[in-house]
Structure formats: structure tokens, C-alpha cells
Amino acid sequence: MFWIGIGIVCLVLKKHRREGLQVLLTMLVTFIVGNLILKNLFHRTRPFNCEDSLLDVTALIIDEPGEFSFPSGHTMNGFAAAFALFFNNKKLGIPALILAGLIAFSRMYHFVHFPTDILAGFCVGFGAAIMMNYIFDKVQEKRAEKKLQASE
């Protein structure tokens, strides 16, 4: 919800509209690829649910997540939003990347994700951000070409 809120705030602010739209669309891509496709394809159990786990589920500090473990949704969305911000505005993007990294680490710390879940979440989020940034750049180029042609 935090990253969605950031996207909406940026969308409302005229100066940061591109960042906001890019954050929200990038997160939509990660949701489709990660949550709807990959999680259901791999059906990976969470670390605290493994038979050889030393952790009792009642010892979890956070609520027990209901969906599968691979890839980490928090990591995907955190890095998707942070890189979408970073590609457009380094001043906003650097703190966002640090926060996304801390969130990713906390998912392992709380024993709800394996390191490979985090790595896959990072890759999906980063890949989606690169793809959306490329698309946004191409759309902006087309608009600039149309404006130039219209002014001639």
C-alpha cells in the first residue's frame, strides 16, 4: 500500500505525474507477472512452513502470509516502484531504493521468504521497471516527433 500511495501522490503532483504513472503501471506489471503467474506456477512454501523449520508459526512477528513464497511480492513491488522513481528522479529514487532494500531484507529476517525469493522479486521488479521506462521513453519520443511535425 505504501508504494501505491507514493504513486498516487506523484500522479496528483503535476511535476511528478510521469513518475507516478510509471510507478503504478510498473507495479501492475509485477503483480501480473509475479503474483498471478510465477507464484501460482512455482507453489513454493514459505520458510516457516518447511518440515525441518525450527521456527514455530506462533513465533512469527508478522501475520502469516497466505500466498506462496516465490517470488517475494514485497520485494517485487518495492524495487519496481523504487527503480521507476530512480529512472526519472535520482533524488526520489535513491531513498526509495534504500527503503526497498530494507523491506526485502526484512522479509528474510521475518522468515517469510528464502533468499532466492528475494532475488527473484528484485529481478522481476527491476525488469518491469526497465521495460516500463523504455515504453515511457518511446511514447515521449513519439509525442515530441508529432509536436515537431505539427509546428512545421
Side-chain angles (χ1 to χ4, degrees):
M1 295 305 287
F2 172 78
W3 298 111
I4 293 171
I6 294 291
I8 291 170
V9 167
C10 286
L11 196 58
V12 169
L13 301 171
K14 190 173 185 173
K15 181 180 176 185
H16 298 287
R17 197 157 284 156
R18 175 185 163 131
E19 290 101 313
L21 186 58
Q22 199 165 330
V23 163
L24 295 173
L25 290 176
T26 302
M27 288 178 61
L28 178 63
V29 169
T30 62
F31 175 76
I32 292 167
V33 171
N35 288 57
L36 298 182
I37 297 171
L38 294 176
K39 281 184 184 278
N40 292 310
L41 183 67
F42 288 99
H43 288 220
R44 186 177 199 182
T45 190
R46 293 187 179 271
F48 63 82
N49 283 333
C50 292
E51 287 181 25
D52 59 349
S53 173
L54 300 175
L55 182 73
D56 181 13
V57 175
T58 59
L60 286 176
I61 298 171
I62 60 172
D63 291 337
E64 185 177 336
E67 48 186 25
F68 297 112
S69 180
F70 182 88
S72 168
H74 283 81
T75 303
M76 281 187 304
N77 285 312
F79 280 108
F83 276 114
L85 288 170
F86 181 78
F87 292 150
N88 292 288
N89 186 326
K90 305 286 187 269
K91 200 179 226 183
L92 294 174
I94 290 172
L97 285 169
I98 292 168
L99 181 59
L102 291 171
I103 291 169
F105 175 77
S106 79
R107 304 307 287 168
M108 288 187 297
Y109 179 80
H110 288 295
F111 215 53
V112 293
H113 284 292
F114 294 102
T116 51
D117 301 340
I118 302 302
L119 180 61
F122 172 85
C123 290
V124 171
F126 182 61
I130 287 174
M131 180 187 72
M132 290 308 297
N133 194 59
Y134 177 81
I135 291 169
F136 271 66
D137 285 348
K138 288 297 176 190
V139 167
Q140 192 171 353
E141 285 175 22
K142 295 277 187 199
R143 285 185 177 171
E145 285 175 16
K146 280 187 178 181
K147 258 188 190 176
L148 186 61
Q149 289 173 352
S151 66
E152 291 178 348

